[in-house]
Amino acid sequence: MYSNRSIMASSGRLPGSGELKIFPNAPQPSHQRFASSLVSWPPELGWYRNNLVALSQYYNLFFVASLDEILVFQPIGHDQYLINPCSTIKLARSRDGFMGYVDTANPHAIDQLVVADLGLEEILVAVCDDGDVVAYTTRPIQREIDDRAPDPHYRPNNFDSQVRPFFIVNVGMSAWGIAVHKEARMIAISSNSKQINVFAFALNESCSTPDTSSETDILDGEIPGILNDEQWIRHRPYERLDPKARSNNIEIVLSNHWNNIPNVAFFNNNRHEHTSPDNTVYLVSTDIDHHTYVWDVWKRTVITQLTAYSGNLSGWGVACIDPYFCRPAFSIAELYGALDLKAATSLPTSAPKPRQRAPFPFHVLHTDQRNIRLFTGDPNCRQDVSCTAPLRAHPQSEFLNPPSGERLNMVLQVPELELAIVADQMGRVALLTLTRWANAAGEGEGAHGFRFEHFVPLKAQEVEGVRPKSRLAGVAVGPVAGWLRRREDEKDDEEVEGRIILRPRRRRRTPFDDPRRRYRLLLYYMDHTVLSYEIWRRTEEYGLVG
């Protein structure tokens, strides 16, 4: 039998059930929020979009997309109260005159917001119905709020932000999917143009490869200006690209889809290890015809196809899962929970699985209108895991019209908690623990899966009528205010002979750097009701009590 010591040596973590705990905060009904508001409420939200909210991982900032504006909140207290926005970012435009797809009256309305790391900066990316892509760094947003409120106990009332974007382009048609690669310094955008535009940022001569820990580029400090359409070099379709030649801003176009592409995802190696020996950058995409592809971005080729055309299903969400951040399971119950494997293996989501699937070093979590499926990157693992309609058979859903809003189009990850979060626009969210087989006898080698931990709103909240009769505008997750991450280039103050000296902090932190970290999960509904939760793992196996 394996000991805890041997498991720790192979995975870097101790095994254990590690129960995922959840605590519901006080709900924030829309009528209560508006009663105390000092601004013009309620702001208008776009219907039938992707995820319209996001949380910073480094600052106490919560973002809400209101048509062509971004409202910036600072959640207050344990219950994450959203009173008034601190500021409003009026979204910049690449130029006037572009048409909208979902709403022709508001062509610049935002379809999705994403907060992610690009290089050493955390960025906020918005994609719009007119095809615009606009990105800001979060540091000047926080700095601007701090300048307005030097007293930490004072919060500024809503003001028009003067923060400028560092990146603004147009991809030709309504833009929907956003993926950001931290180490490779890339932003990928999918759209109704049926293609994916990948923007690879230029690197300085001192860093020609994306795996060097000392690299510096335009995103390691202040942004000198705005990068727009004219500052990107688009190569011919069959021209060879060199991933080490990064002296210019490069736009890479990936074409193999035949319909709209709602979401894309990079494989970000969260352990700061190089993605592969040959600089391969992996991207996964899914379209509303249900085609799902794994790409080699630099070669502009499809490595493998995971799902094929289905007449009654559409691809809506994808996420790339690092197997390292899957929880060890020592029984079928720990591996799959209550998941009915017999039903799972019969899910008709695609054509028969190819016998020879090309390998890739991660797993793919894929969603359509109702179903969740996990594809393993190991070609020797013959079992993909699926679950049919996990969010459908729950109370209080009959007041919504399923055909127009039944789509699992919001997929988030918390690698530190070995957690995936899947939400649909009908208003419910599933919390999944990602698992891997670790039986001492060696049985089930290579098996990976997931198990459902919680559904929110919680059953008690459903019974009490806490959940509003409204669709879900977005869901966000991030560390609670007391456990916010620290920037990798953040300086620590040090007192030397009566003077404060700023020292660069050299320790590199990964998403799995503290098992005690607690997270906040915020659900934002179309009527502006907010439900929030605190989530964490029980930590007895780390010698801690949580």
Side-chain angles (χ1 to χ4, degrees), residues 97-240:
F98 288 117
M99 300 294 292
Y101 175 80
V102 177
D103 183 359
T104 56
N106 296 286
H108 202 50
I110 296 168
D111 286 332
Q112 180 158 219
L113 283 181
V114 164
V115 169
D117 286 346
L118 182 68
L120 298 182
E121 288 285 346
E122 183 185 57
I123 65 171
L124 168 67
V125 187
V127 291
C128 304
D129 198 26
D130 59 7
D132 269 4
V133 182
V134 188
Y136 303 81
T137 54
T138 59
R139 180 163 42 169
I141 297 174
Q142 179 65 54
R143 182 187 301 143
E144 185 180 48
I145 294 173
D146 291 341
D147 289 344
R148 292 286 185 120
D151 183 345
H153 300 290
Y154 170 79
R155 296 176 63 259
N157 288 328
N158 190 20
F159 63 89
D160 290 340
S161 173
Q162 301 303 308
V163 172
R164 299 171 64 222
F166 73 90
F167 173 72
I168 178 168
V169 298
N170 189 280
V171 294
M173 294 188 71
S174 185
W176 287 82
I178 306 170
V180 181
H181 198 298
K182 174 183 173 64
E183 300 293 336
R185 272 63 169 178
M186 290 181 175
I187 298 176
I189 305 297
S190 64
S191 69
N192 288 1
S193 67
K194 307 175 183 60
Q195 66 183 21
I196 303 162
N197 300 72
V198 182
F199 300 91
F201 288 81
L203 306 180
N204 287 341
E205 293 181 0
S206 60
C207 56
S208 59
T209 61
D211 64 324
T212 52
S213 59
S214 61
E215 63 187 356
T216 57
D217 56 37
I218 62 168
L219 293 172
D220 289 345
E222 296 296 329
I223 306 302
I226 299 176
L227 294 175
N228 55 36
D229 290 292
E230 299 176 355
Q231 294 170 284
W232 295 88
I233 297 176
R234 179 182 289 195
H235 291 265
R236 292 186 294 273
Y238 299 103
E239 186 176 356
R240 183 179 178 275

Side-chain angles (χ1 to χ4, degrees), residues 348-545:
T349 58
S350 69
K353 186 170 60 177
R355 291 185 178 275
Q356 296 297 326
R357 177 190 295 166
F360 45 94
F362 55 95
H363 305 323
V364 176
L365 195 67
H366 177 268
T367 61
D368 52 48
Q369 292 101 311
R370 299 178 294 276
N371 311 304
I372 303 173
R373 188 167 184 177
L374 181 71
F375 295 93
T376 63
D378 183 356
N380 298 317
C381 182
R382 305 302 302 160
Q383 182 66 56
D384 297 324
V385 181
S386 304
C387 185
T388 306
L391 295 177
R392 203 177 193 189
H394 288 273
Q396 303 296 328
S397 59
E398 64 277 1
F399 55 79
L400 297 176
N401 181 26
S404 59
E406 193 174 27
R407 54 182 69 166
L408 303 180
N409 64 332
M410 292 171 263
V411 183
L412 307 174
Q413 285 188 73
V414 186
E416 192 169 54
L417 299 183
E418 297 129 330
L419 182 70
I421 298 168
V422 177
D424 70 359
Q425 292 187 327
M426 304 294 285
R428 290 193 57 82
V429 181
L431 278 60
L432 290 67
T433 288
L434 303 162
T435 58
R436 61 178 177 83
W437 188 250
N439 189 291
E443 299 172 8
E445 183 178 357
H448 284 74
F450 58 84
R451 64 175 187 257
F452 292 100
E453 297 280 8
H454 299 283
F455 294 93
V456 292
L458 300 171
K459 186 176 181 180
Q461 292 180 306
E462 299 271 16
V463 173
E464 294 168 3
V466 170
R467 175 187 171 193
K469 294 184 177 181
S470 178
R471 299 186 186 278
L472 188 64
V475 59
V477 65
V480 299
W483 285 97
L484 292 170
R485 300 192 183 285
R486 300 183 65 185
R487 292 168 44 88
E488 292 179 23
D489 62 344
E490 190 176 345
K491 299 178 186 297
D492 289 330
D493 293 347
E494 179 180 343
E495 186 172 348
V496 178
E497 296 181 353
R499 295 182 302 145
I500 299 298
I501 306 296
L502 296 180
R503 302 292 189 191
R505 197 165 46 77
R506 303 186 183 279
R507 177 173 174 246
R508 208 173 175 94
R509 298 171 72 89
T510 71
F512 202 90
D513 59 3
D514 197 324
R516 300 169 299 172
R517 193 187 308 276
R518 295 196 174 205
Y519 282 79
R520 49 186 168 179
L521 174 67
L522 277 73
L523 281 58
Y524 202 101
Y525 287 85
M526 291 295 295
D527 71 344
H528 299 279
T529 292
V530 179
L531 300 181
S532 67
Y533 307 83
E534 191 165 311
I535 54 177
W536 69 98
R537 289 271 181 203
R538 290 188 63 86
T539 51
E540 292 93 334
E541 68 252 41
Y542 301 96
L544 306 166
V545 176

